[in-house]
Amino acid sequence: MLLRLILAVILPPAGVFLTTGISSAFIINILLTLLGYVPGIIHAVWIVTKQGENANA
């Protein structure tokens, strides 16, 4: 999970892709990253941590 969080900050779509694969979250993250780097980071970190919570449950 740490690697995915680091990628979520450096290259947001890569972190989301490693977490969810090609999904709607991945497409949304690409669009958010193109619109602004910070919204892409916020979305990617949210997706990675949400997925991590589900894996620990």
Side-chain angles (χ1 to χ4, degrees):
M1 183 170 158
L2 182 62
L3 174 65
R4 284 184 264 170
L5 276 174
I6 292 170
L7 278 175
V9 173
I10 296 171
L11 187 62
V16 174
F17 177 75
L18 288 178
T19 303
T20 63
I22 297 186
S23 64
S24 61
F26 177 65
I27 303 298
I28 291 169
N29 190 265
I30 289 174
L31 294 174
L32 285 171
T33 304
L34 289 174
L35 290 173
Y37 189 66
V38 174
I41 292 173
I42 293 169
H43 180 257
V45 169
W46 181 65
I47 292 292
V48 170
T49 55
K50 187 176 87 168
Q51 194 74 9
E53 289 174 359
N54 292 340
N56 292 334

